[in-house]
């Protein structure tokens, strides 16, 4: 349900109720226009609270990188906070925070997203700041060296020193053999270290251009005034002149299981499974999303009840469909309970999936599942920041921002039979990647025995 690439993030939410009801989605009204330079602009008015969200969605992620220069998109997520020709180094965050605003950014395989949430009387300031990022970003040797160290520290904290932190990297390089999804957004530090300043400049001039972006403003705004400011600050930015690389290669569907062992700084072994998934815009993505919630979305989910609580084979089981633009992965992570063999845990997970394939889902569980979906959609669009992101992603991935108003309708079209069907079709052992995460202490013992 959450369409961002945060591995095993907070995807699952509590139940609203147990009645099998098809809910109507509140319409998100908006206005949109396109500047002469190609920048798509979407505005949503909500005067409930005196705040406004400004976001820029750049259609560039790790899949757009040169295989010899991976990590550029994620690196730029950091680099473009360095400042601009008119904003001093390190002043970008301070300026937004000084007016009572918050800001952040994230990078995925498919996109880079920047946003600020500010008091609405500072909307013009936020628009100016984002226009500076697009037009006059400070890209020099000082900033590059500074952010290289930042990215190195992030990798140490989130991957090297984080239990199971390498899962995405280890899965992707085995699951994709021809498509550039084969490397994670963090990329290679070696590539970043040897890259020249001119290469960074070229990446910026290619992808961080108005005709590769969507600007979304949501909240306590006046449509006419907002459009006037947008034209003032973004209208002068020239179109990009470089060709924007979009991968055209199609990853062949795997038809053989790939198995491997990863030794990590962990105490408890784990099982990771990754199955083929279709493109993000495939209608089955909604059923697969619901399937992940049914299997491992919270305390009442199938795998939690059966494998964690009843069998006590695992301390936690998680599932997440990584619904990437060109075809993603359906991921499982099961962390074994103390003393439980990793093969035994894998067998228990597989048994529950096979039962679902054979027997389907009960009426009661399906009613609970639909309630979870309703709550998730409503919660995601309960803030102006959430609405801004939903509008931008609908515009880019579906070609129409109004798709945001059809999301719940698409979930409501999913039937019990669809849940069973997608489990049978996509959770195919013949095409999956299976990784056993084992403590490095086990590797040492195995080495001594040889």
């Amino acid at each position: 349900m959450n369409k961002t690439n945060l591995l095993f993030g907070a995807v699952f939410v509590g139940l609203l109720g147990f009645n099998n009801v098809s809910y109507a989605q509140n319409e998100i009204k908006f206005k949109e226009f396109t500047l002469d330079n190609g920048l798509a602009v979407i505005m949503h008015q909500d005067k409930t609270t005196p705040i406004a969200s400004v976001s820029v969605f750049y259609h560039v992620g790790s899949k757009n990188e040169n295989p010899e220069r991976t990590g550029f998109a994620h690196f730029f997520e950091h680099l473009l906070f360095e400042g601009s020709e008119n904003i001093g180094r390190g002043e970008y965050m301070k300026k937004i925070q000084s007016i009572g605003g918050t800001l952040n950014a994230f990078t995925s395989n498919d996109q880079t997203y920047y946003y600020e949430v500010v008091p609405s009387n500072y909307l013009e300031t936020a628009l100016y700041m984002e226009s500076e990022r697009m037009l006059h970003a400070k890209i020099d040797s000082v900033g590059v060296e500074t952010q290289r160290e930042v990215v190195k520290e992030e990798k140490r904290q989130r991957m090297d020193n984080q239990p199971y932190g390498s899962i995405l990297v280890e899965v992707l390089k085995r699951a994709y053999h021809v498509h550039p999804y084969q490397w994670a957004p963090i990329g290679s530090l070696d590539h970043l270290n040897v890259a020249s300043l001119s290469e960074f400049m070229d990446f910026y001039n290619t992808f961080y251009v108005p005709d590769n972006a969507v600007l979304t403003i949501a909240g306590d705004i006046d449509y006419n005034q907002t459009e006037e400011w947008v034209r003032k600050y973004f209208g002068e930015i020239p179109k990009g002149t470089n060709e924007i690389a979009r991968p055209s290669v199609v990853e062949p569907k795997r038809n053989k299981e790939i198995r491997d062992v990863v030794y990590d700084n962990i105490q408890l072994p784990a099982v990771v499974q990754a199955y083929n998934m279709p493109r993000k815009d495939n209608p089955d993505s909604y059923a697969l999303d619901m399937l992940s919630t049914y299997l491992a979305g919270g305390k009442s989910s199938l795998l939690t009840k059966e494998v964690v609580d009843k069998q006590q084979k695992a301390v936690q089981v998680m599932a997440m469909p990584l619904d990437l633009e060109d075809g993603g992965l359906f991921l499982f992570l099961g962390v074994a309970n103390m003393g439980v063999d990793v093969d035994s845990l894998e067998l228990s997970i597989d048994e529950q999936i096979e039962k679902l394939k054979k027997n389907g889902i009960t009426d009661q569980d399906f009613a609970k599942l639909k309630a979870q979906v309703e709550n998730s959609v409503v919660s995601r669009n309960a803030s102006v920041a959430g609405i801004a992101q939903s509008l931008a992603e609908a515009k880019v991935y579906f070609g129409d921002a109004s798709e945001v108003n059809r999301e719940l309708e698409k979930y409501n079209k999913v039937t019990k039979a669809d849940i069973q069907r997608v489990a049978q079709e996509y959770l195919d052992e013949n095409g999956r990647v299976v990784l056993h995460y084992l403590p490095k202490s086990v590797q040492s013992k195995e080495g001594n025995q040889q």
Side-chain angles (χ1 to χ4, degrees), residues 33 35 41 43 123-124 127 215 217 222-236:
F33 60 95
L35 296 181
V41 184
M43 303 181 295
L123 172 60
E124 184 180 8
L127 289 169
L215 169 65
I217 309 105
D222 176 88
Y223 281 130
N224 293 332
Q225 178 63 79
T226 301
E227 180 173 347
E228 181 182 325
W229 284 332
V230 168
R231 293 187 181 279
K232 174 182 177 182
Y233 292 111
F234 290 87
E236 66 174 325

Side-chain angles (χ1 to χ4, degrees), residues 399-450:
D400 184 358
S402 63
E403 281 292 312
V404 72
N405 290 315
R406 292 187 279 271
E407 183 179 18
L408 192 55
E409 175 188 342
K410 291 179 178 179
Y411 279 115
N412 281 327
K413 287 182 178 178
V414 175
T415 65
K416 286 198 311 175
D418 288 327
I419 300 294
Q420 185 177 13
R421 175 183 60 79
V422 296
Q424 293 169 341
E425 182 175 347
Y426 296 103
L427 303 188
D428 181 1
E429 293 183 10
N430 292 323
R432 70 181 180 177
V433 174
V434 180
L435 300 179
H436 284 184
Y437 264 68
L438 301 179
K440 287 188 175 180
S441 58
V442 174
Q443 184 182 24
S444 301
K445 291 178 182 178
E446 292 176 347
N448 293 332
Q449 293 173 356
Q450 293 178 355

